[in-house]
Amino acid sequence: MNVRCPAPNHEDEVVLLGHGAGGRLTAELLDRLVLPALDGAPGPMEDAALLPGHRELVMSTDSFVVSPLFFPGGDIGSLAVHGTVNDLAMRGAWPLALSVSLIVEEGLPLAELRAVLDSLGKAAQSAGVPVVTGDTKVVGRGAADRLFVNTTGVGQRHGSLHPSAALARPGDAVLLSGPIGLHGTTVLSTREGLGFESDIASDTRPLHRLVRALVPVGADVHVLRDPTRGGLAAALNEIARDSSVAVEIEESAVPVPEAVASACDLLGLDPLVVANEGCLVAFVAADAAEEALAAMRSVEEGTAAVRIGEVLPDGPQGRVTLRTLVGARRIVDMPLGELLPRIC
């Protein structure tokens, strides 16, 4: 009798939706395929990169494939602007310029394309960042899903802010600028007709003004990250991994809107892994935490800012734990794959 070990044949593997989820499958794809091919240097996976030879300049690029194109609180156009502006902001940068590229499927109504572009233009104007270049391609029916948008941004760092995912330190306070789970549950409910979108809306918005409010806190702001794909769980795990620290958060301190909690209960989802597009998590030196909270609460985007945890003085490096409502602890794992596909 022939017995064969069911080891995977890498030549037969295919790309999965989960490879684009921002979780463990994404990390594997980057480590095994993307970075080796591009001779990528080892180091933390940041939201945006410092330009070689111009360390005050930051660059980020992102693609948006959200389905549906329009949802309560936003659409693919405004989301594309906000997402790239926020990635620049997470490196302490003010946006200077954007590029926009469109991949349009044949048959998309011009009225829908016009509505997306109007929203994109208004979002860029509201954020104070010009769209300076771009590109448009049209593909045949069935070759894309209606409309994909790519945006690239360039920003300039505020002089005193130099956050990085690798700079969290033992004793740091973990701050969150607002409630979690709104974007992912809104998009999913709209797509599947679940009805929750009548009670909630996406939190998509630019966060660069919120980050600018933190400039007086300066070097005490160690890490900034917007918990988009993979939610707060993925963001905290990435920071813990890249900084080689142990992080603990309090379940009672994490703001989860009632409608989000209800939707997650119905669908069997953990709010910690649901995507957000309008909040950030900050790791700040403990003695500067109150100053940072006051700064965040001084602007509209941070009025609901709270302290949700800390970096432990010791503990397993790279681990995130949650102290539950009953006082127990559980490990918060990095999401494996795509629980909510096509949400950004």
Side-chain angles (χ1 to χ4, degrees), residues 73-280:
D75 57 79
I76 194 172
S78 59
L79 180 66
V81 172
H82 298 162
T84 299
V85 166
N86 292 348
D87 282 348
L88 295 173
M90 296 310 107
R91 297 305 306 276
W94 186 263
L96 298 178
L98 294 178
S99 75
V100 174
S101 293
L102 308 175
I103 299 178
V104 187
E105 183 184 13
E106 179 188 17
L108 180 72
L110 286 177
E112 291 190 35
L113 182 59
R114 182 178 296 110
V116 168
L117 291 174
D118 286 346
S119 178
L120 189 153
K122 290 176 182 177
Q125 289 180 339
S126 178
V129 56
V131 176
V132 297
T133 189
D135 183 48
T136 301
K137 295 290 189 297
V138 177
V139 297
R141 294 176 187 268
D145 188 0
R146 309 186 73 204
L147 176 66
F148 299 153
V149 180
N150 172 272
T151 45
T152 296
V154 176
Q156 184 165 15
R157 291 200 292 175
H158 301 285
S160 60
L161 283 181
H162 302 94
S164 168
L167 292 182
R169 302 170 185 171
D172 279 358
V174 181
L175 312 180
L176 183 66
S177 67
I180 64 169
L182 288 165
H183 178 72
T185 50
T186 298
V187 171
L188 180 65
S189 181
T190 304
R191 181 193 306 158
E192 304 298 336
L194 302 179
F196 291 104
E197 70 273 15
S198 62
D199 300 317
I200 55 177
S202 170
D203 63 342
T204 178
R205 58 184 170 180
L207 298 173
H208 57 310
R209 296 184 181 95
L210 175 60
V211 171
R212 183 174 61 182
L214 290 169
V215 168
V217 186
D220 285 327
V221 178
H222 297 155
V223 183
L224 296 173
R225 180 62 63 93
D226 58 335
T228 53
R229 294 179 303 170
L232 185 60
L236 293 177
N237 271 280
E238 289 166 352
I239 295 165
R241 176 198 65 205
D242 291 339
S243 295
S244 299
V245 296
V247 178
E248 182 166 283
I249 60 173
E250 297 282 343
E251 183 178 18
S252 61
V254 178
V256 181
E258 184 176 346
V260 171
S262 297
C264 289
D265 284 344
L266 176 67
L267 300 170
L269 298 175
D270 183 346
L272 294 179
V273 305
V274 178
N276 314 276
E277 290 291 346
C279 67
L280 64 80

Side-chain angles (χ1 to χ4, degrees), residues 9 21 24-25 27 31-32 59 78 97 123 132 140 148 159 163 195 209 214 247 261 263 268 293 309 315:
N9 182 343
R24 278 183 282 166
L25 286 178
D31 291 340
R32 285 174 41 194
M59 182 176 179
S78 59
V132 297
F148 299 153
R209 296 184 181 95
L214 290 169
V247 178
L293 277 174

